[in-house]
Amino acid sequence: MRLRNLIIVTVIVPLFLVLMVFSLVAIKSLEDNVRSKLETEVETISRAIGTSLGYALTRETAESLQETLQSAFSYNRIYGAYVFDLEGNEIHGLGLGEALYDDAERQSVVEAGEMRSDYHDEEGWTYFSTLMPLSSPDGKTLGVLQVNRLTSGIETYTGFLSRVALVAFGLGAAGIVLGIWWMFRRHIERPLSRLLKVMERVARGERRQRAATQGLDEFRRLGLALNHMLDALAEKDADIEARQHREIELEQRLRKSRKLAELGVLAAGVAHEVGTPLTVIEGQAQRLARQDGIGEDERRRLDRIRGEVERIVTIVRQLMDLGRQHNVEKEWLALDDLVQDARQLVEADLEARDIRLEPVLPDPPVLLLANGQQLVQVLTNLLRNASQADDVRHIRLAARHRDDSLCLTIEDDGHGIPEADRTRVFDPFFTTKPVGQGSGLGLSMAHRIINDHGGSIGAFDSALGGAGVEIVLPLEDTTP
């Protein structure tokens, strides 16, 4: 059963029934009171004139009898007064209702010696009539007095008033029920329906739905409480989603770390095996370059051999660094100083291609616990990569706080990183540069350094139109 119908059935209807019974009892009491007053008045009038009529019958004077009967009509609504002898014959009478009683009824009053009262209907009129024995001063019964009063006025309309009251009560009750129904529907049912719809939409997955905070104070407070609950759920969902992303990132970092560790083991073996031959090749090339009998062309070829050997040695060392477990020595450093050092190292590359570097750093300067040399190496590597990309004229290096971490972004306005290559840019030996112009280990080294600092690094599409790299570093020491 709906709440509206339940209230009507359990509260309104019983209340109206009680009021209706009370009204009927009140009307009935009024009717009885009116009738009682009517009967009392007629009986009093009958007794008042009965004594005078007894004296008049004793003296047997018609004039005094007539005067006494006429005096009865001075009372309100007395419509008939008659005097009968002991045999039931009329001695004298005035007004209406003579035949209300028969001779037997009059004779019974004489025999009983007591007054008799009753209601009678005659020719569409209702009378209240009394029969009273008339006695002489010595107590002898001489005749019977009949007094008739017409029951007009309120005593006649009490029944009609009862019916009118019932009809009015019914109409009033219907109006009240209709008003309560309308008020309930407008101020209770509709707000509840709106709240229910919001809950149903939230249950279907529309977590952005919120309840309207208007209307009655109770519903406004209920809407605010529901919105606060939904906001708390949204925060919990966002926190769970962020944790899931962090777990995914951590898993990816662990996979990459294992890959680099495996690569480092392989590189260590390779370095051990090729180290001696490379030393011999470099030494022989150096000895041949010092001889006086060779020409300039041969000397250039020997210098190139020595350069390529040195490049191989550098790559092998980088591979070994990728796979090693590093104990990072950290100290409190100002981010502004690290950015300035990296900027000085790439300033020549930026000026050569007329590239504008835009630093956007927090004020006051941020302090972080890190290895300055390694972070400068990461920033330098990222800035140099951005400056070497095609059609880059603007690089922006920005930093901002994110909870208890520092977020660094380096963006450019070049062509960006293809979607297919975005997940591979930190893999060893992956590069988009021509052969001989890059080893593909720079971003892998940056990933290893950031990972050693307890942070994360990733690529994204820059708002400037090109590539973007995001670095997240903890502001507190996370070394276990």
Side-chain angles (χ1 to χ4, degrees):
M1 181 180 291
R2 304 185 69 176
L3 178 61
R4 176 187 61 200
N5 299 334
L6 181 64
I7 292 176
I8 292 177
V9 171
T10 60
V11 179
I12 305 302
V13 172
L15 178 62
F16 284 156
L17 289 177
V18 171
L19 291 176
M20 184 176 67
V21 171
F22 177 79
S23 301
L24 292 177
V25 170
I27 293 174
K28 180 62 177 175
S29 299
L30 175 62
E31 182 179 359
D32 293 341
N33 184 52
V34 171
R35 287 181 177 272
S36 176
K37 184 177 180 181
L38 169 65
E39 295 170 1
T40 301
E41 288 180 354
V42 175
E43 291 174 357
T44 301
I45 293 171
S46 298
R47 288 189 176 92
I49 65 174
T51 303
S52 300
L53 289 174
Y55 282 110
L57 288 175
T58 302
R59 293 194 299 270
E60 297 182 356
T61 58
E63 293 78 4
S64 60
L65 185 63
Q66 183 175 2
E67 290 176 0
T68 303
L69 287 178
Q70 287 178 349
S71 66
F73 288 89
S74 63
Y75 296 97
N76 187 29
R77 294 194 177 277
I78 296 299
Y79 281 80
Y82 299 89
V83 177
F84 300 90
D85 60 16
L86 296 177
E87 287 75 19
N89 299 316
E90 180 181 338
I91 300 174
H92 193 78
L94 298 172
L96 303 176
E98 176 185 358
L100 295 180
Y101 294 94
D102 56 19
D103 293 341
E105 290 174 326
R106 298 188 189 99
Q107 188 63 37
S108 65
V109 170
V110 172
E111 293 175 357
E114 295 179 355
M115 179 182 294
R116 176 180 177 179
S117 302
D118 203 355
Y119 287 90
H120 296 273
D121 293 326
E122 185 180 71
E123 298 180 356
W125 298 92
T126 300
Y127 297 90
F128 179 74
S129 179
T130 62
L131 288 177
M132 187 185 75
L134 296 176
S135 302
S136 63
D138 56 2
K140 181 181 179 181
T141 300
L142 302 177
V144 178
L145 171 64
Q146 177 181 336
V147 177
N148 303 327
R149 181 174 179 180
L150 188 64
T151 60
S152 57
I154 188 171
E155 61 272 15
T156 303
Y157 295 103
T158 50
F160 174 75
L161 291 176
S162 299
R163 292 189 293 271
V164 171
L166 287 177
V167 173
F169 186 85
L171 293 176
I176 293 174
V177 170
L178 183 62
I180 292 175
W181 176 85
W182 182 82
M183 294 293 292
F184 187 93
R185 179 177 177 81
R186 177 179 177 84
H187 297 291
I188 297 179
E189 188 173 4
R190 288 182 180 176
L192 285 177
S193 298
R194 289 194 292 266
L195 290 176
L196 181 60
K197 289 180 180 179
V198 171
M199 294 179 182
E200 291 175 347
R201 291 177 179 175
V202 172
R204 290 197 298 266
E206 300 180 22
R207 299 299 180 89
R208 295 183 180 273
Q209 287 291 327
R210 293 296 182 269
T213 55
Q214 60 186 10
L216 298 177
D217 184 63
E218 289 79 4
F219 289 106
R220 184 179 60 83
R221 292 166 57 189
L222 182 61
L224 289 173
L226 177 61
N227 291 342
H228 291 162
M229 182 185 69
L230 294 176
D231 291 339
L233 290 176
E235 292 179 1
K236 291 294 184 181
D237 292 342
D239 183 61
I240 292 174
E241 186 177 358
R243 289 183 181 181
Q244 291 176 344
H245 285 305
R246 287 196 294 269
E247 290 176 358
I248 293 173
E249 291 177 358
L250 178 60
E251 184 178 357
Q252 293 175 347
R253 287 167 54 189
L254 291 175
R255 289 178 179 177
K256 191 172 289 294
S257 298
R258 286 195 295 266
K259 182 187 295 185
L260 293 178
E262 294 171 357
L263 183 61
V265 173
L266 176 63
V270 172
H272 178 74
E273 295 297 330
V274 303
T276 300
L278 289 176
T279 302
V280 173
I281 294 172
E282 199 276 338
Q284 293 298 324
Q286 184 178 5
R287 184 177 297 110
L288 289 173
R290 288 198 298 265
Q291 292 182 3
D292 297 333
I294 64 174
E296 291 297 326
D297 182 63
E298 287 79 3
R299 195 179 303 277
R300 285 195 299 270
R301 294 177 182 271
L302 290 173
D303 289 340
R304 183 177 179 184
I305 291 174
R306 294 178 58 192
E308 293 299 324
V309 169
E310 183 65 28
R311 181 168 175 267
I312 294 173
V313 171
T314 302
I315 292 175
V316 171
R317 288 175 180 172
Q318 289 177 342
L319 287 173
M320 294 179 67
D321 287 339
L322 286 177
R324 291 175 182 168
Q325 186 70 29
H326 296 79
N327 294 321
V328 181
E329 296 182 0
K330 301 178 182 179
E331 60 180 328
W332 289 103
L333 302 170
L335 177 63
D336 295 37
D337 296 338
L338 298 177
V339 173
Q340 182 63 27
D341 292 344
R343 182 174 187 173
Q344 291 177 355
L345 292 175
V346 299
E347 189 170 4
D349 296 335
L350 298 177
E351 292 179 352
R353 300 189 59 185
D354 193 22
I355 297 175
R356 178 171 65 91
L357 176 61
E358 176 192 4
V360 182
L361 303 178
D363 188 19
V366 177
L367 295 178
L368 68 159
L369 191 62
N371 185 295
Q373 180 181 356
Q374 292 183 357
L375 285 189
V376 169
Q377 180 182 350
V378 171
L379 295 176
T380 302
N381 197 350
L382 295 176
L383 290 173
R384 183 168 286 120
N385 283 350
S387 66
Q388 293 174 356
D390 295 335
D391 299 328
V392 172
R393 293 294 177 265
H394 179 202
I395 300 176
R396 180 168 61 199
L397 192 157
R400 67 180 186 280
H401 288 279
R402 179 191 292 176
D403 298 330
D404 55 352
S405 302
L406 178 68
C407 180
L408 283 168
T409 57
I410 298 176
E411 306 173 73
D412 61 58
D413 60 349
H415 297 302
I417 302 174
E419 182 70 25
D421 297 339
R422 194 170 301 163
T423 58
R424 303 170 55 200
V425 293
F426 298 102
D427 292 342
F429 302 113
F430 177 80
T431 180
T432 57
K433 297 177 181 178
V435 178
Q437 295 187 14
S439 63
L441 294 175
L443 290 179
S444 298
M445 288 294 297
H447 182 278
R448 194 268 301 167
I449 293 173
I450 298 301
N451 186 65
D452 290 343
H453 281 75
S456 62
I457 184 171
F460 64 95
D461 289 330
S462 170
L464 298 178
V469 176
E470 180 185 68
I471 300 173
V472 179
L473 291 171
L475 291 176
E476 301 294 337
D477 189 7
T478 58
T479 303

